[in-house]
Amino acid sequence: MNAKNTLSKVSVITVVYNAVDTIENTIQSVIEQTYPNIEYIIIDGGSTDGTLQIIEQYKDSISKVITGPDKGIADAFNKGIAQATGDWIGMINADDWYAYNAIERVMLNVSANDEICCGNLTLIGENGFALCKKSKVRWLNLGMYVMHPTCFVRKEVYERIGLYDTSLRIAIDFDMFLRIKKRGLKIKYIKEMIAFMRTGGASSNVVQMHQEELAVMRRHLHHLLYPISASFNYLNRLRWRFFYQNPFANTRY
């Protein structure tokens, strides 16, 4: 690995609100990365459960902590991007954590011409079940098949594309990546395990997730792309509702 001042700076943003049970794992996964040129930013929505006390324990390893009420996850993402000074930006939320040396793997795989990079994610259930989810860039029109916690985006992309849509609650990342694709930017996939995610959270509301995905598709997909993608979304929703056995909870949706 080259000297720190010759490496691209990577800004990592963690958005958190009342995650006292998981925030320490997230923080440790960032500050223990092998890549030496990391700026770590935490955006806290005004936690009251002890989260801030845990963050305080690691203050010497965190570049910036911004705390206070926000208008939701998208607003918190945008606050983090505004604070970031790195060449690349990655986002790892308080229920997620990075694999060991994940950022180094990403930086070794990107070139000067790459603008967005993604990899693989492992979902972890409360029952201990683990499932690998590969980012499928070619499937992006059909839903959020790019695993957001594994993504690293050059800051200049956000400057060109714009920030996250604060009117959305769940399909925030899907909207962003369809905008990126619509502008003709290529998303590079690397076959590396980058991050881990606990099941649950906002995206576990399957009905609302599909509804927001349809709204985002309608916004960005035109001609035959929208009806094809919407039909796939509808069939997928039926599969989740009636046929999918949830391996993380041993119950049906």
Side-chain angles (χ1 to χ4, degrees), residues 13 105 112-113 164 179 183 209-210 219:
I13 299 167
R105 295 180 198 172
N113 296 323
Y164 288 86
R179 284 156 57 196
R183 289 287 294 272
M209 177 179 70
H210 284 298
R219 182 186 301 176

Side-chain angles (χ1 to χ4, degrees), residues 145-187:
Y145 285 94
V146 173
M147 304 296 111
H148 194 230
T150 75
C151 294
F152 289 81
V153 179
R154 286 193 186 273
K155 186 174 183 181
E156 62 192 44
V157 171
Y158 291 117
E159 294 168 352
R160 292 165 59 187
I161 301 297
L163 299 178
Y164 288 86
D165 186 346
T166 56
S167 71
L168 298 170
R169 180 174 178 268
I170 297 177
I172 303 161
D173 46 5
F174 184 41
D175 174 75
M176 173 60 72
F177 278 80
L178 276 188
R179 284 156 57 196
I180 285 171
K181 184 177 180 181
K182 192 175 180 179
R183 289 287 294 272
L185 301 180
K186 292 184 178 180
I187 304 169

Side-chain angles (χ1 to χ4, degrees), residues 2-251:
N2 297 325
K4 179 175 178 178
N5 60 6
T6 67
L7 297 173
S8 297
K9 181 193 286 188
V10 178
S11 296
V12 174
I13 299 167
T14 292
V15 167
V16 58
Y17 177 69
N18 285 346
V20 67
D21 294 331
T22 59
I23 184 62
E24 186 168 29
N25 189 22
T26 305
I27 292 172
Q28 289 176 344
S29 81
V30 176
I31 66 178
E32 293 174 0
Q33 287 292 306
T34 55
Y35 190 79
N37 198 6
I38 295 175
E39 172 187 60
Y40 190 26
I41 300 166
I42 295 181
I43 307 296
D44 175 80
S47 296
T48 58
D49 66 341
T51 294
L52 289 172
Q53 285 74 17
I54 293 176
I55 293 172
E56 176 68 17
Q57 295 174 20
Y58 294 92
K59 65 179 181 180
D60 292 340
S61 299
I62 301 170
S63 306
K64 301 174 186 177
V65 178
I66 308 297
T67 185
D70 54 52
K71 299 176 183 177
I73 297 174
D75 185 41
F77 282 168
N78 293 341
K79 287 182 179 180
I81 293 169
Q83 294 292 324
T85 63
D87 306 291
W88 291 83
I89 297 177
M91 296 186 176
I92 192 81
N93 294 341
D95 286 332
D96 313 334
W97 67 99
Y98 282 130
Y100 176 74
N101 78 355
I103 297 175
E104 182 176 351
R105 295 180 198 172
V106 171
M107 291 296 104
L108 286 173
N109 278 279
V110 295
S111 70
N113 296 323
D114 293 323
E115 296 175 298
I116 305 105
C117 182
C118 65
N120 299 334
L121 174 77
T122 296
L123 291 175
I124 307 290
E126 292 182 1
N127 60 359
F129 185 84
L131 177 66
C132 176
K133 299 286 286 184
K134 296 181 179 180
S135 289
K136 300 175 181 177
V137 177
R138 293 182 180 179
W139 289 37
L140 189 55
N141 285 350
L142 304 175
M144 188 56 185
Y145 285 94
V146 173
M147 304 296 111
H148 194 230
T150 75
C151 294
F152 289 81
V153 179
R154 286 193 186 273
K155 186 174 183 181
E156 62 192 44
V157 171
Y158 291 117
E159 294 168 352
R160 292 165 59 187
I161 301 297
L163 299 178
Y164 288 86
D165 186 346
T166 56
S167 71
L168 298 170
R169 180 174 178 268
I170 297 177
I172 303 161
D173 46 5
F174 184 41
D175 174 75
M176 173 60 72
F177 278 80
L178 276 188
R179 284 156 57 196
I180 285 171
K181 184 177 180 181
K182 192 175 180 179
R183 289 287 294 272
L185 301 180
K186 292 184 178 180
I187 304 169
K188 181 174 186 175
Y189 166 74
I190 62 171
K191 194 176 180 180
E192 296 278 1
M193 185 58 61
I194 301 301
F196 298 83
M197 172 188 283
R198 294 179 179 86
T199 58
S203 60
S204 63
N205 186 331
V206 177
V207 174
Q208 185 175 355
M209 177 179 70
H210 284 298
Q211 289 175 342
E212 284 201 3
E213 284 185 346
L214 281 174
V216 169
M217 288 174 184
R218 190 178 299 112
R219 182 186 301 176
H220 298 296
L221 302 179
H222 304 293
H223 306 299
L224 288 176
L225 286 178
Y226 173 69
I228 292 171
S229 298
S231 297
F232 179 90
N233 185 283
Y234 177 72
L235 292 173
N236 201 35
R237 192 189 317 180
L238 292 178
R239 179 180 70 89
W240 278 61
R241 183 174 181 181
F242 295 110
F243 302 106
Y244 185 68
Q245 180 70 38
N246 181 4
F248 301 105
N250 295 320
T251 59

